[in-house]
């Protein structure tokens, strides 16, 4: 991964110090800052402090570059670990709020990204709706870590599952439910997932980002995978998010503008059942966090705009080893048959407000009807045309809403196709 900040050992000394002068250490720089602070406190003004005729400049050769170096040394002397978790209330807070939570722990001795040696932590569950005030501590257990592309090296994200005080999984801990079904027969099938996360941007006034004040944009048609000032809205955030996901090492595989203007999609995968959920959750957090910098609120609401506008889904591509081998189309068809028999169970877990999206219009099947087909975007389960032609590959479940829990989708697809 490309580092976006230097560690203490990488900080270059200002060119104003010649090679014959004593080596500048972090300790000597801290002493310099301390001396500067005391001298500045005694001066009536700091105007012109960095001027060439300044007595401190001439005696200590202090420059703005040196000041930045001191700051870099101080910041990078420790590691910031952003502990991320979910409160389990996605889709229950309206378009302005989401389920992602996080807080920062300062680590004195760096722990490498990818390690699970980060300490457990706790949080006030009564403030997130995950516990009562009388006994509100919930435990954060690290399950996945990766580089922090915003703060840079050596800082990290620490994705956590939530545990009760007695160490049992919290009721919002859907990741553990996914993990619990990974029996050997499931592992042998080497399941893979591709998660297509659609989302919609809103401005601070609560209007879809880029839409004209007091009106509506051009009807749907020019916007899907569009390019141009009037064809796409919000691309700077989308590109920043893509770059951040890549730098974090997430398995992001693409982005595109969606059918409704102000709506976009990113894809995670192919990835395993736990991995896809972990990467989607960090990608969601990054999208919300970067939205702060762009003045944009991101929502996974399934039908953010009523009327002749597409909703937002999370189409999930699913494959097993049996589906990917020659003649795998038979395994795909068998899986679809099993999915048809548990349609209602899936719908109940596939996101809040999904009934407003799955209407049989706007590239959806009616929520009460199960149907499958080749290249049919009006189906519940689509077999992509290249898969049909090759006779092997994967299926696409088009039913999940954008606000669905990715761990739940993966678990249910495995349970229905491999356990029943």
């Amino acid at each position: 991964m490309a580092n976006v900040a230097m560690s203490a050992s990488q900080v270059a000394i200002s060119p104003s110090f010649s090679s014959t002068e004593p080596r500048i250490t972090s300790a000597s720089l801290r002493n310099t800052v301390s001396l500067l602070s005391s001298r500045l406190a005694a001066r009536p003004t700091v105007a012109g402090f960095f001027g060439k005729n300044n007595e401190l400049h001439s005696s200590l050769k202090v420059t703005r570059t040196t000041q930045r170096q001191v700051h870099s040394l101080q910041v990078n002397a420790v590691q910031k670990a952003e502990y991320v978790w979910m409160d389990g209330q996605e889709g229950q807070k309206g378009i302005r709020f989401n389920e992602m939570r996080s807080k920062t722990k300062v680590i004195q001795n760096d722990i490498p990204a990818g390690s699970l040696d980060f300490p457990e932590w706790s949080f006030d569950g009564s403030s997130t709706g995950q516990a009562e005030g009388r006994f509100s501590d919930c435990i954060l257990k690290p399950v996945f870590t990766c580089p922090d592309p915003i703060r840079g090296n050596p800082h990290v994200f620490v994705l956590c599952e939530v545990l009760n005080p007695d160490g049992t999984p919290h009721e919002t801990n859907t990741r553990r439910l996914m993990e619990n079904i990974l029996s050997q027969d499931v592992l042998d099938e080497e399941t893979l997932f591709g998660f297509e996360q659609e989302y919609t941007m809103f401005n601070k006034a609560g209007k879809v980002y880029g839409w004209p004040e007091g009106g509506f944009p051009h009807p749907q048609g020019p916007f899907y995978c569009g390019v141009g000032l009037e064809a796409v809205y919000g691309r700077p955030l989308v590109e920043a998010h893509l770059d951040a996901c890549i730098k974090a090492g997430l398995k992001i595989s693409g982005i595109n503008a969606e059918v409704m203007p102000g709506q976009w999609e990113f894809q995670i995968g192919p990835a395993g059942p736990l991995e896809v959920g972990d990467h989607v959750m960090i990608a969601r957090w990054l999208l919300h966090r970067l939205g702060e910098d762009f003045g944009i609120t991101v929502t996974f609401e399934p039908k953010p705009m009523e009327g002749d506008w597409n909703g937002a889904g999370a189409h999930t591509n699913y494959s097993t080893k049996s589906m990917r081998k020659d003649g795998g189309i038979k395994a795909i068809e068998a899986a679809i048959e099993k999915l048809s028999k548990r349609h209602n169970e899936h719908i109940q877990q596939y996101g809040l407000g999904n009934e407003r999206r799955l209407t049989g219009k706007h590239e959806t099947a009616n929520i009460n009807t199960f149907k499958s087909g080749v290249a049919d975007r009006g189906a519940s389960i689509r077999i992509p045309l290249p898969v049909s032609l090759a006779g092997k590959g994967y299926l696409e479940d088009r039913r999940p809403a954008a606000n669905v829990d990715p761990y739940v989708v993966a678990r249910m697809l495995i349970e229905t196709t491999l356990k029943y």
Side-chain angles (χ1 to χ4, degrees):
M1 295 303 115
N3 294 333
V4 293
M6 294 184 293
S7 67
S9 63
Q10 295 172 316
V11 176
I13 301 304
S14 168
S16 64
F17 292 93
S18 70
S19 60
T20 60
E21 290 176 314
R23 183 184 178 187
I24 303 301
T25 66
S26 58
S28 63
L29 285 172
R30 285 195 294 272
N31 291 336
T32 299
V33 172
S34 178
L35 175 59
L36 288 176
S37 299
S38 63
R39 295 290 291 272
L40 282 172
R43 293 174 65 87
T45 176
V46 296
F49 172 70
F50 288 107
K52 290 184 178 180
N53 296 325
N54 183 284
E55 61 170 325
L56 289 179
H57 177 276
S58 61
S59 62
L60 297 175
K61 299 184 180 179
V62 175
T63 64
R64 286 186 176 88
T65 301
T66 304
Q67 189 182 52
R68 287 194 295 268
Q69 292 165 355
V70 172
H71 175 73
S72 183
L73 281 168
Q74 291 172 329
V75 169
N76 288 309
V78 296
Q79 180 184 46
K80 300 173 188 174
E82 191 70 16
Y83 278 58
V84 178
W85 74 98
M86 293 71 73
D87 66 23
Q89 299 173 58
E90 188 64 57
Q92 301 179 37
K93 306 176 184 179
I95 65 170
R96 294 183 182 272
F97 302 100
N98 59 81
E99 71 169 339
M100 304 306 300
R101 305 278 182 157
S102 70
K103 60 178 183 173
T104 306
K105 176 180 279 292
V106 174
I107 308 292
Q108 296 300 325
N109 297 307
D110 293 4
I111 302 172
S115 171
L116 293 182
D117 291 334
F118 290 85
E120 292 186 354
W121 206 6
S122 64
F123 68 94
D124 174 16
S126 67
S127 295
T128 65
Q130 291 171 285
E132 296 182 359
R134 295 172 300 169
F135 195 60
S136 63
D137 282 1
C138 293
I139 307 301
L140 293 174
K141 180 182 178 181
V143 294
F144 170 73
T145 66
C146 65
D148 181 341
I150 297 176
R151 288 170 170 159
N153 186 59
H155 313 299
V156 296
F157 289 135
V158 181
L159 181 68
C160 299
E161 64 176 352
V162 179
L163 305 179
N164 295 312
D166 62 0
T168 58
H170 190 273
E171 62 181 353
T172 59
N173 186 347
T174 56
R175 188 185 191 277
R176 183 66 67 88
L177 295 176
M178 173 67 254
E179 188 174 20
N180 288 343
I181 70 165
L182 295 179
S183 55
Q184 191 57 53
D185 59 326
V186 171
L187 295 174
D188 289 343
E189 277 292 341
E190 300 174 5
T191 57
L192 292 174
F193 297 83
F195 196 83
E196 303 175 19
Q197 178 67 75
E198 295 179 344
Y199 59 93
T200 309
M201 301 180 184
F202 279 79
N203 62 24
K204 292 181 179 180
K207 192 174 186 67
V208 177
Y209 189 81
W211 285 29
E213 291 294 330
F216 295 91
H218 190 281
Q220 292 184 159
F223 307 107
Y224 173 69
C225 295
V227 62
L229 182 62
E230 294 300 324
V232 294
Y233 309 139
R235 190 185 293 275
L237 171 57
V238 175
E239 293 289 347
H241 178 250
L242 175 61
D243 289 346
C245 288
I246 291 172
K247 290 176 181 178
L250 304 183
K251 287 189 173 180
I252 189 164
S253 49
I255 57 172
N256 61 268
E258 269 301 331
V259 177
M260 188 181 85
Q263 187 181 88
W264 289 79
E265 173 186 301
F266 66 87
Q267 301 97 35
I268 296 291
L274 290 173
E275 185 180 41
V276 71
D278 294 344
H279 288 214
V280 166
M281 288 306 187
I282 292 296
R284 284 181 175 180
W285 187 96
L286 279 167
L287 191 56
H288 292 306
R289 168 61 185 84
L290 291 171
E292 297 174 15
D293 297 340
F294 287 86
I296 293 174
T297 294
V298 170
T299 180
F300 302 124
E301 166 65 32
K303 186 69 174 177
M305 294 299 295
E306 298 298 330
D308 194 19
W309 304 102
N310 273 35
H315 304 151
T316 303
N317 302 290
Y318 170 59
S319 174
T320 65
K321 185 167 65 174
S322 297
M323 296 178 187
R324 296 189 295 270
K325 67 182 182 181
D326 290 343
I329 192 68
K330 292 183 179 180
I332 293 172
E333 292 169 348
I336 292 174
E337 177 62 24
K338 291 180 178 180
L339 288 167
S340 70
K341 296 177 179 178
R342 297 192 74 221
H343 176 65
N344 291 334
E345 287 88 339
H346 281 253
I347 289 297
Q348 291 170 10
Q349 300 292 321
Y350 271 11
L352 296 176
N354 210 11
E355 70 282 354
R356 292 184 288 108
R357 169 181 162 264
L358 297 181
T359 61
K361 300 178 180 178
H362 303 112
E363 300 179 275
T364 70
N366 185 279
I367 194 169
N368 296 313
T369 303
F370 181 93
K371 57 181 286 193
S372 63
V374 174
D376 184 358
R377 283 178 165 78
S380 311
I381 304 294
R382 179 176 74 99
I383 300 176
L385 181 58
V387 171
S388 177
L389 295 175
K392 61 182 178 180
Y394 65 96
L395 60 82
E396 179 192 47
D397 191 342
R398 298 181 58 82
R399 297 170 295 175
N403 60 14
V404 75
D405 184 326
Y407 300 113
V408 170
V409 177
R411 174 175 56 84
M412 296 202 70
L413 284 170
I414 290 174
E415 283 182 342
T416 297
T417 62
L418 298 180
K419 293 289 188 180
Y420 283 84

